[in-house]
Amino acid sequence: NAGVTQTPKFRVLKTGQSMTLLCAQDMNHEYMYWYRQDPGMGLRLIHYSVGEGTTAKGEVPDGYNVSRLKKQNFLLGLESAAPSQTSVYFCASSYSTRKEQFFGPGTRLTVL
Amino acid sequence: AQSVTQLGSHVSVSEGALVLLRCNYSSSVPPYLFWYVQYPNQGLQLLLKYTTGATLVKGINGFEAEFKKSETSFHLTKPSAHMSDAAEYFCAVSFTGTASKLTFGTGTRLQVTL
């Protein structure tokens, strides 16, 4: 089992460019999450999904969109990147309500 | 409001010394509690969790944590630190009715010195 994988691992964007981060899990988990990690702020939830075809906003959703067309995949999109979106992005998944989350290795994004 | 507080953004201990990392939460209903560890340039790995039952929870790598409802705390301890324990540690809480969302503390970076 690969667990939770994220693509790409690193990316540099210019302001205004767009990109999509891909998260895939092979554990048949219902719940998936996107977080951003910034120094001194812990992890903050961007968006999450409680099942295929459903998404919901988290703590810091502005500037991001997500889609969950397949149960195993959760995509995070930046339509027009801004320097404030420079961060490390983590995807996670969990089996059911209030169970532990399993994390991917992260994507380091720099927006110039 | 429901929140998680980790006291001390940096903790330094000598190898072989006790490790104590503090976590307090704010909630009227006992939540589910987790400790995660993050090694440099890696994702988060679950150390241990408390859901129900025994309040002293043992995790991987010799770590344990005790849930104290009266103190709304879930402090992480290890009797004897090892150099390999140097990492960032995050306390996380799943509050009732939040669709399994986790609220993370701001993290504590543990340094282990010789």
Side-chain angles (χ1 to χ4, degrees), chain B residues 31-82:
Chain B
Y32 286 10
L33 298 151
F34 306 85
W35 275 100
Y36 284 86
V37 61
Q38 183 180 32
Y39 298 103
N41 299 314
Q42 294 187 25
L44 277 72
Q45 178 183 3
L46 182 69
L47 268 180
L48 49 80
K49 64 180 180 182
Y50 169 79
T51 54
T52 58
T55 57
L56 181 62
V57 180
K58 295 187 183 301
I60 62 172
N61 301 338
F63 283 93
E64 61 182 36
E66 185 171 11
F67 169 59
K68 293 187 176 181
K69 182 179 178 180
S70 61
E71 299 177 8
T72 60
S73 68
F74 191 56
H75 301 332
L76 182 70
T77 60
K78 182 174 181 177
S80 177
H82 191 273

Side-chain angles (χ1 to χ4, degrees), chain A residues 33 37 90 96 98 100-101, chain B residues 32 36 38 49 94 100:
Chain A
Y33 312 84
Q37 183 180 26
F90 288 100
S96 64
R98 304 185 79 192
E100 64 266 32
Q101 294 182 14
Chain B
Y32 286 10
Y36 284 86
Q38 183 180 32
K49 64 180 180 182
S94 176
S100 197

Side-chain angles (χ1 to χ4, degrees), chain B residues 10-14 18 109-113:
Chain B
H10 289 84
V11 170
S12 182
V13 300
S14 300
L18 172 71
R109 184 167 299 279
L110 177 65
Q111 180 182 18
V112 182
T113 60

Side-chain angles (χ1 to χ4, degrees), chain B residues 85-96:
Chain B
D85 294 327
E88 188 151 23
Y89 293 80
F90 292 94
C91 178
V93 179
S94 176
F95 295 107
T96 302

Side-chain angles (χ1 to χ4, degrees), chain A residues 6-15 17-21 34-39 46 63-64 76-90 105-112:
Chain A
Q6 292 183 233
T7 328
K9 288 184 169 48
F10 302 94
R11 186 71 186 269
V12 178
L13 291 179
K14 294 181 180 179
T15 298
Q17 288 184 320
S18 64
M19 77 163 294
T20 301
L21 282 66
W34 275 107
Y35 295 90
R36 60 176 290 171
Q37 183 180 26
D38 303 291
I46 304 172
Y64 306 95
L76 178 71
L78 287 72
E79 290 186 347
S80 180
S84 60
Q85 294 177 304
T86 294
S87 187
V88 181
Y89 292 85
F90 288 100
T107 295
R108 187 173 295 274
L109 175 66
T110 301
V111 182
L112 303 175

Side-chain angles (χ1 to χ4, degrees), chain B residues 21-33:
Chain B
L21 305 182
R22 300 178 187 274
C23 175
N24 288 85
Y25 67 90
S26 173
S27 173
S28 58
V29 177
Y32 286 10
L33 298 151

Side-chain angles (χ1 to χ4, degrees), chain A residues 14-80:
Chain A
K14 294 181 180 179
T15 298
Q17 288 184 320
S18 64
M19 77 163 294
T20 301
L21 282 66
L22 171 64
C23 175
Q25 53 94 5
D26 61 2
M27 297 174 283
N28 201 34
H29 286 171
E30 288 293 337
Y31 296 74
M32 296 187 74
Y33 312 84
W34 275 107
Y35 295 90
R36 60 176 290 171
Q37 183 180 26
D38 303 291
M41 304 188 74
L43 276 76
R44 293 180 292 168
L45 183 65
I46 304 172
H47 286 281
Y48 65 101
S49 168
V50 300
E52 182 179 324
T54 71
T55 63
K57 294 180 179 180
E59 184 184 356
V60 288
D62 294 343
Y64 306 95
N65 56 75
V66 288
S67 64
R68 183 111 181 258
L69 298 179
K70 293 182 178 181
K71 185 177 183 178
Q72 63 268 33
N73 295 337
F74 195 29
L75 279 63
L76 178 71
L78 287 72
E79 290 186 347
S80 180

